[in-house]
Amino acid sequence: MNALQKNNVENNPQEQKSVVIITGASSGLGRAFAVALDERLPQTAVFWLIARHKDTLEETAATLNRDVRLLPLDLTLPESFTKLNAILEKERPVIRYLVNNAGEGRAGNFENESFDAHKSLCDLNVRAPLLLTSLALPWMEQASRLLFTSSVAAFLPQPGFASYAASKSMILSFARALSEELRPRGIHVAVTCPNPMMTDFFTSEEKEAFQKSYKRLSIEDPDVVVQKTLEAVERGRRLIVTGGWGKAIHIISRLIPISWMTRIIAKLSSRDT
Ligand SMILES: NC(=O)c1ccc[n+]([C@@H]2O[C@H](COP(=O)([O-])OP(=O)(O)OC[C@H]3O[C@@H](n4cnc5c(N)ncnc54)[C@H](OP(=O)(O)O)[C@@H]3O)[C@@H](O)[C@H]2O)c1
């Protein structure tokens, strides 16, 4: 029996009392969240790792020192939520932590992208975190935590990245309102807004272009983002901006008229392309 088979408790539902759910756990920030939470949380909690590809989820699982359940699900598909709901109803776990992290984005003008690309972004960045939160909340209790991955892009409309920035604004707004709604239940809701990170989120061409542009100054390391985020969550913070660049944009977004800022961003992004 190899380490993965030993860890994977898919066929052993009785053991799953206390669970941590992480979406987008197969790479980038989601994998970094899984590794860091593995070090911080009691071993009694089973990690449910969600992404489409089982092989890369297995790679994440192999780095963890606890029982895991791999859920290779496409969160843009309604049947994935039906399946998740059935698992929750059957196993009736206590969800200690839900990290709504999976997301996608492509740079470029809105009208240059296909209908299917727009649908996928809406389904994954907006619909999936809302639906998963809705399914998870009945299984959460006092001191459970809900964490959303938004982005610095949430603070301003972004010509050249319009739908992605808008989807992240929606998550930011949703998380902040939900954190007040859930305060009486003692469920802590937080949202993290990282700067760009050179993960699989970007193609290799996009990474190369990034390194050549002024935007390279804003790049953050996913492990550092996760560390800062989890420390801030433990201190009770609800809005977490992990980098200096992001903090500056957050302040600017409240001081300078949005119409000026969008024009400046449009000029800068047309210079980059
Ligand atoms: N990288 C950045 O610059 C940056 C900056 C700020 C915020 N963020 C946010 O950080 C989060 C994580 O991004 P990342 O940088 O870690 O990107 P990433 O390395 O591309 O990771 C995305 C994760 O989401 C999963 N995923 C993608 N489509 C999915 C689908 N349809 N159903 C289920 N899972 C899916 C991927 O696994 P599969 O491919 O196996 O499904 C992967 O595990 C996203 O919400 C992103 O918006 C990223």
Side-chain angles (χ1 to χ4, degrees), residues 23-31 50-57 73-77 80 100-105 120 124-125 128 149-153 164 167-168 192-202 210 222:
T23 71
S26 64
S27 75
L29 200 60
R31 180 175 287 174
I50 301 178
R52 287 167 303 180
H53 299 99
K54 194 171 181 189
D55 52 341
T56 42
L57 281 177
L73 297 169
D74 185 338
L75 293 176
T76 66
L77 302 177
S80 297
N100 270 305
N101 166 76
E104 63 175 36
S120 177
L124 185 62
N125 292 14
T149 301
S150 177
S151 164
V152 162
Y164 176 76
S167 74
K168 292 297 173 182
T192 188
C193 298
N195 289 338
M197 299 165 284
M198 294 300 101
T199 62
D200 295 348
F201 183 87
F202 292 109
F210 223 98

Side-chain angles (χ1 to χ4, degrees), residues 7 10 46 60 75 89 91 104 115 120 122-123 149 153 184 216 236 247 255 258 262 264:
N7 269 351
E10 194 159 357
V46 177
T60 301
L75 293 176
E89 294 280 355
E91 300 185 10
E104 63 175 36
F115 176 87
S120 177
C122 292
D123 287 344
T149 301
R216 68 185 177 283
K247 285 178 183 144
L255 297 178
I258 296 281
T262 36
I264 292 167

Side-chain angles (χ1 to χ4, degrees), residues 64-267:
L64 307 180
N65 293 307
R66 69 176 60 237
D67 288 335
V68 296
R69 179 174 191 145
L70 306 184
L71 292 163
L73 297 169
D74 185 338
L75 293 176
T76 66
L77 302 177
E79 54 266 35
S80 297
F81 296 91
T82 311
K83 188 171 175 188
L84 270 171
N85 195 32
I87 295 170
L88 289 168
E89 294 280 355
K90 183 169 168 223
E91 300 185 10
R92 312 182 71 75
V94 174
I95 300 175
R96 303 281 177 202
Y97 222 121
L98 166 59
V99 185
N100 270 305
N101 166 76
E104 63 175 36
R106 239 161 301 168
N109 283 354
F110 182 82
E111 61 176 2
N112 295 340
E113 280 294 344
S114 67
F115 176 87
D116 286 347
H118 292 313
K119 183 174 181 308
S120 177
L121 184 139
C122 292
D123 287 344
L124 185 62
N125 292 14
V126 175
R127 193 168 163 271
L130 259 70
L131 294 186
L132 188 51
T133 300
S134 164
L135 290 185
L137 276 174
W139 308 104
M140 299 183 95
E141 57 181 35
Q142 185 163 21
S144 290
R145 295 189 186 281
L146 241 173
L147 176 61
F148 293 87
T149 301
S150 177
S151 164
V152 162
F155 299 143
L156 285 167
Q158 289 211 7
F161 217 10
S163 53
Y164 176 76
S167 74
K168 292 297 173 182
S169 288
M170 184 274 168
I171 288 303
L172 176 61
S173 166
F174 174 63
R176 298 192 83 179
L178 194 65
S179 99
E180 288 310 316
E181 287 186 17
L182 294 177
R183 209 184 270 274
R185 276 186 69 191
I187 297 173
H188 183 270
V189 183
V191 55
T192 188
C193 298
N195 289 338
M197 299 165 284
M198 294 300 101
T199 62
D200 295 348
F201 183 87
F202 292 109
T203 62
S204 39
E205 295 79 44
E206 285 169 338
K207 284 180 192 165
E208 208 175 304
F210 223 98
Q211 298 289 356
K212 288 183 191 153
S213 113
Y214 70 95
K215 293 180 195 160
R216 68 185 177 283
L217 301 171
S218 67
I219 293 172
E220 278 190 290
D221 180 301
D223 292 327
V224 175
V225 167
V226 162
Q227 198 190 327
K228 286 183 180 175
T229 298
L230 295 180
E231 281 169 10
V233 166
E234 278 160 25
R235 289 199 308 274
R237 295 292 302 271
R238 288 163 189 268
L239 169 63
I240 300 144
V241 186
T242 50
W245 176 277
K247 285 178 183 144
I249 291 182
H250 191 213
I251 292 167
I252 288 169
S253 70
R254 286 180 291 175
L255 297 178
I256 299 181
I258 296 281
S259 57
W260 295 8
M261 284 308 300
T262 36
R263 220 169 296 164
I264 292 167
I265 293 168
K267 283 226 163 63

